[in-house]
Amino acid sequence: SHPRVVAAAKEQVENIVHSQVNIGYHDKMLELTEMLLPNLPRGLDTIYYGTTGAEAVENAVKMARAMTGKHAVVVFRGGYHGRTFGTMAMTTSSRIYRQKFGPLIPGIHVTPFPYEYHGITTDMAMEELEQLFKDTLHEDDVAAFLIEPVLGEGGYVPAPPDFLRKVREFANSKRALMICDEVQTGFGRTGSLFACDSDYYGDDVAPDILTMAKGIASGFPLSGVATYREIANQCDPGMLGGTYAGNALSCAAAIATQKVIQEENLVENSAKMGERLRDNLRSIQQSEVSKGLIGDVRGLGLMTGVEFIKEAEPGIKAKLSEACVEENLLLLGCSTYEVVRFVPPLNISEDDIDIGCEKFEKALKSVL
């Protein structure tokens, strides 16, 4: 609850809480759009607003289908894109999101994501993707490739830079669009405003469509889909929309959030504190406390995963999370593997990074 965001929300509540966008624009949505456009990955010049990340993803797919006239979507194993009926078919980070709800929507095809800790390299993942188009898919059917630059629920696994570039090139060769799902990674979380537009991934990964939510408005329900005008224009008025799309209160919070991110240098802080966090965690990994059970420490910015080796006690991530609560540290698990994730606030200090790692080390010692 950053005080500047709280103040903006309070002021907006006393003005206009909501104005349905298909009836009339409000100044907060227009102001937010003017703030976001210059900071989007190159070329993206149009924004659609929704309320949730899943809604953003589904509308991104609708745009891709409208633009290409094709229907199939290729997703990557371990990806999380939402729990709605459409997005759960695209989500493979855990079976829990889709069990008992089938049959799922057709036209979704899953291919491996590079997970080098488990032996899946970029070359192996690309070979599987190419094989998918030999034995299952024809390019005349594929509208889009949907990918998280960093797997979120799937284990906090950054895609190798060469993989995103190769997926971009492969999508172009199949006359399909590339959708980057940055609902979790966007707005400084990975040490760049958007992961796909970072120095880490270079200049050759610009998506055709970008989804965003979560960090856009400090927790107020707001999401967005950024794309090219040419793509957006394939959707006639009324094809996309929602009662609460571009809610005025959420937009006011988003404007304040974007100002805080810029003026308090939170993207730079995320990059710097993320390095410190991983340095601390690798020291713990190499210490006697871990008993050799921490297999990998990885991440970008303040999006870091710690994975335990397969010989570790099953369920260790849940036990460790409970032990961390006793130390006043909130730490969640993720992935079908034994992974815990660190997602501290973007304005965290060096002292709080160090304190948090001390608490983690103490909790780890009590569990092991």
Side-chain angles (χ1 to χ4, degrees):
S1 297
H2 193 288
R4 293 174 63 180
V5 177
V6 171
K10 286 182 177 179
E11 181 179 354
Q12 189 62 35
V13 164
E14 296 177 352
N15 192 352
I16 297 176
V17 172
H18 179 62
S19 174
Q20 192 169 357
V21 69
N22 65 335
I23 296 175
Y25 295 123
H26 54 79
D27 61 341
K28 294 304 179 184
M29 185 176 66
L30 299 177
E31 183 181 348
L32 176 61
T33 303
E34 291 179 358
M35 293 183 69
L36 292 178
L37 285 177
N39 296 310
L40 293 174
R42 70 176 188 274
L44 302 183
D45 58 9
T46 304
I47 301 175
Y48 162 83
Y49 293 106
T51 53
T52 69
E55 183 183 2
V57 171
E58 291 204 1
N59 280 290
V61 171
K62 289 162 74 175
M63 290 179 187
R65 286 179 168 180
M67 178 65 189
T68 63
K70 300 187 283 185
H71 70 277
V73 178
V74 175
V75 298
F76 295 83
R77 186 169 299 125
Y80 176 86
H81 302 291
R83 290 185 175 93
T84 56
F85 204 76
T87 56
M88 72 176 176
M90 306 174 210
T91 292
T92 56
S93 58
S94 173
R95 67 185 183 187
I96 193 68
Y97 301 119
R98 52 166 68 191
Q99 67 187 41
K100 300 182 180 182
F101 297 140
L104 305 179
I105 65 170
I108 308 300
H109 302 269
V110 183
T111 191
F113 185 97
Y115 201 149
E116 294 182 346
Y117 181 70
H118 288 282
I120 304 173
T121 65
T122 289
D123 287 344
M124 293 169 64
M126 286 306 302
E127 287 176 7
E128 289 293 325
L129 178 57
E130 291 165 0
Q131 186 63 34
L132 184 66
F133 276 77
K134 294 176 182 178
D135 59 32
T136 304
L137 289 175
H138 192 283
E139 62 186 73
D140 289 347
D141 294 325
V142 179
F145 293 79
L146 172 63
I147 188 168
E148 292 179 293
V150 182
L151 289 184
E153 296 290 321
Y156 277 39
V157 185
D162 60 335
F163 183 69
L164 278 194
R165 176 178 56 79
K166 289 180 178 180
V167 170
R168 170 75 276 180
E169 294 171 352
F170 193 79
N172 290 344
S173 74
K174 302 303 180 185
R175 297 177 293 108
L177 304 186
M178 181 177 180
I179 304 172
C180 278
D181 183 350
E182 296 233 24
V183 168
Q184 283 209 46
T185 53
F187 298 102
R189 175 53 54 191
T190 62
S192 301
L193 196 63
F194 297 102
C196 68
D197 196 35
S198 64
D199 291 339
Y200 183 76
Y201 287 114
D203 298 326
D204 302 322
V205 186
D208 300 294
I209 304 176
L210 175 78
T211 62
M212 49 194 168
K214 295 189 186 300
I216 191 174
S218 297
F220 282 82
L222 185 69
S223 63
V225 183
T227 189
Y228 299 101
R229 174 66 61 181
E230 178 186 5
I231 295 173
N233 283 347
Q234 302 306 308
C235 296
D236 296 331
M239 288 175 65
L240 306 178
T243 300
Y244 302 107
N247 172 265
L249 178 57
S250 293
C251 285
I255 292 167
T257 298
Q258 300 310 308
K259 289 180 179 178
V260 168
I261 289 173
Q262 294 174 15
E263 295 170 13
E264 298 186 12
N265 301 312
L266 296 191
V267 173
E268 294 81 0
N269 192 66
S270 174
K272 182 180 178 181
M273 293 301 102
E275 290 294 333
R276 187 180 186 92
L277 172 61
R278 285 184 291 280
D279 285 345
N280 287 357
L281 292 172
R282 288 183 180 122
S283 294
I284 296 172
Q285 178 187 19
Q286 295 164 8
S287 73
E288 294 181 357
V289 172
S290 73
K291 296 183 179 179
L293 295 178
I294 294 179
D296 195 26
V297 176
R298 56 179 179 253
L300 293 175
L302 287 171
M303 188 172 182
T304 293
V306 172
E307 182 163 353
F308 291 85
I309 65 175
K310 62 182 180 180
E311 290 79 11
E313 179 185 359
I316 189 173
K317 63 184 177 185
K319 294 179 180 179
L320 182 56
S321 294
E322 293 176 2
C324 284
V325 171
E326 297 300 316
E327 300 298 330
N328 294 317
L329 176 67
L330 297 180
L331 192 65
L332 295 177
C334 60
S335 175
T336 54
Y337 300 109
E338 297 291 345
V339 181
V340 291
R341 49 181 158 169
F342 291 77
V343 203
L346 301 185
N347 60 356
I348 194 168
S349 66
E350 290 184 353
D351 287 345
D352 284 339
I353 287 285
D354 294 344
I355 292 170
C357 288
E358 289 171 4
K359 290 177 178 293
F360 173 72
E361 185 174 22
K362 188 175 180 180
L364 183 64
K365 188 175 182 179
S366 71
V367 169
L368 300 181

